[in-house]
Amino acid sequence: MAKNKDKKKNKSAEKPDLAVHETIELHEVVTVKQASLLKAGMMESLAEDSKLREIVRKERKISKKAIDEIQELLP
């Protein structure tokens, strides 16, 4: 268990000290990316063209990755 606590401490030590306005801006970006992720999820089932469906899948992956990366920065 001590190792798990050390990992958590190291993770939090890697987070940058963000100013309040930077934190708010990151929350705004996450909100936009979450909306994009939800919309892409809904649109994927509606897309009839295979190329369009693939573009929507890529957008879902990109949005999910961006959300995960930004959430790692947030306190």
Side-chain angles (χ1 to χ4, degrees):
M1 274 199 177
K3 288 184 180 181
N4 288 340
K5 288 182 181 179
D6 290 339
K7 286 181 183 179
K8 287 181 182 179
K9 286 181 184 177
N10 289 340
K11 250 189 177 180
S12 64
E14 294 173 7
K15 291 185 179 186
D17 289 331
L18 299 173
V20 174
H21 73 279
E22 292 171 324
T23 302
I24 291 170
E25 288 174 5
L26 285 176
H27 278 290
E28 290 174 1
V29 172
V30 168
T31 301
V32 170
K33 284 297 181 184
Q34 287 174 332
S36 175
L37 180 63
L38 288 170
K39 185 175 180 180
M42 291 185 289
M43 297 305 288
E44 185 177 352
S45 63
L46 298 175
E48 295 178 11
D49 183 60
S50 61
K51 288 183 182 180
L52 178 59
R53 194 174 306 118
E54 186 60 32
I55 291 170
V56 172
R57 283 188 187 129
K58 286 181 184 178
E59 177 58 29
R60 286 180 66 192
K61 287 181 183 179
I62 291 168
S63 293
K64 179 64 175 146
K65 183 179 177 189
I67 291 167
D68 292 341
E69 289 176 1
I70 294 170
Q71 286 179 337
E72 288 178 11
L73 297 173
L74 291 170

